[in-house]
Amino acid sequence: MEKALSTAGVYVERTLALIKPDAIDKAGEIEEIILRSGFTIIQKRKVCLSPEVCSDIYAAHYGKMFFPSLTAFMSSGTSVAMVIARDQAIAYWNELIGPANSVKARETHPVSLRALYGTDDLRNAVHGSGTFSAAEKEIRIIFPDASIDPIPSSQSAISYLNKYVIPTLLSGLTELCKKKPTGPITWLADWLIANNLNKPNICEDFLDKP
């Protein structure tokens, strides 16, 4: 996963959010909090994770005493998996979910998701990717067809349209008004294909050389 260029306001990040089996009945409430916190839910699905998949997601904890209990718990019921996005998504999501131990979270981060919906350090309601590489890996495990490239911000998209798309489209519409063809939509489509200023120039002589 490429690091988002948040300081320039160009890209937003994607990360994985899991609502664990112990909080599945509160999934709607948690999703509302996610949206109110400035995230966009890109993809969502209910999953019953196998112990093997749980082991892959929590591979960083392999060998620790709680690892068997963690994988058994995570594979014990239905979870909700989401790809969520915003600027600095990984940092903001981990701030929103709070410390891993829900008891401590209620003391230090009382409005965090783990404080509100978790029970202890195992049944702590939600999971979040800790790093860029972890987010990339975990998204690919649960959403193998998902795109994980940074998403252009709205301002970046507007700038691109203003620079590369709108000038060509306006020229085509101007010509359309002048010509007044009988099939305006088809005519405009053909004109845009033939007059696309952003189409790369290909040197046929070069391609023909042996």
Side-chain angles (χ1 to χ4, degrees):
M1 175 181 290
E2 297 178 31
K3 185 173 182 179
L5 304 178
S6 55
T7 55
V10 177
Y11 293 113
V12 295
E13 295 172 352
R14 306 182 201 210
T15 191
L16 180 73
L18 277 178
I19 300 176
K20 297 183 178 182
D22 60 310
I24 192 68
D25 60 330
K26 300 294 184 181
E29 293 180 21
I30 294 173
E31 288 178 34
E32 284 297 321
I33 294 174
I34 290 172
L35 295 173
R36 290 202 305 268
S37 299
F39 291 93
T40 298
I41 299 174
I42 303 297
Q43 289 181 278
K44 180 178 73 171
R45 61 184 298 199
K46 287 186 176 181
V47 292
C48 294
L49 301 174
S50 67
E52 292 76 17
V53 169
C54 294
S55 296
D56 287 340
I57 293 174
Y58 292 101
H61 299 299
Y62 182 79
K64 297 179 180 178
M65 290 185 63
F66 63 82
F67 184 78
S69 298
L70 176 61
T71 55
F73 162 63
M74 287 299 298
S75 59
S76 66
T78 302
S79 298
V80 174
M82 292 171 282
V83 178
I84 59 175
R86 61 159 292 169
D87 62 297
Q88 303 182 64
I90 295 171
Y92 277 113
W93 175 238
N94 281 287
E95 180 181 345
L96 180 62
I97 66 179
N101 189 312
S102 296
V103 176
K104 293 181 179 178
R106 281 189 278 275
E107 298 174 357
T108 61
H109 297 73
V111 296
S112 67
L113 293 177
R114 284 170 171 163
L116 294 172
Y117 298 101
T119 303
D120 50 37
D121 57 348
L122 181 63
R123 292 169 174 79
N124 58 7
V126 287
H127 164 80
S129 305
T131 64
F132 293 104
S133 59
E136 179 178 9
K137 173 186 174 183
E138 293 167 10
I139 289 173
R140 288 196 185 282
I141 289 174
I142 299 180
F143 298 93
D145 298 325
S147 171
I148 55 174
D149 292 330
I151 308 167
S153 67
S154 58
Q155 185 56 52
S156 177
I158 291 170
S159 297
Y160 179 86
L161 291 173
N162 287 335
K163 184 175 181 180
Y164 296 107
V165 177
I166 293 177
T168 302
L169 183 58
L170 286 176
S171 296
L173 290 172
T174 300
E175 289 299 314
L176 178 66
C177 292
K178 291 178 180 179
K179 300 291 184 180
K180 295 182 175 61
T182 54
I185 296 176
T186 302
W187 186 95
L188 180 60
D190 291 338
W191 188 95
L192 290 172
I193 292 172
N195 296 274
N196 181 6
L197 299 178
N198 304 307
K199 184 177 179 180
N201 293 321
I202 299 175
C203 179
E204 298 293 344
D205 292 338
F206 178 80
L207 292 179
D208 290 338
K209 289 182 180 180

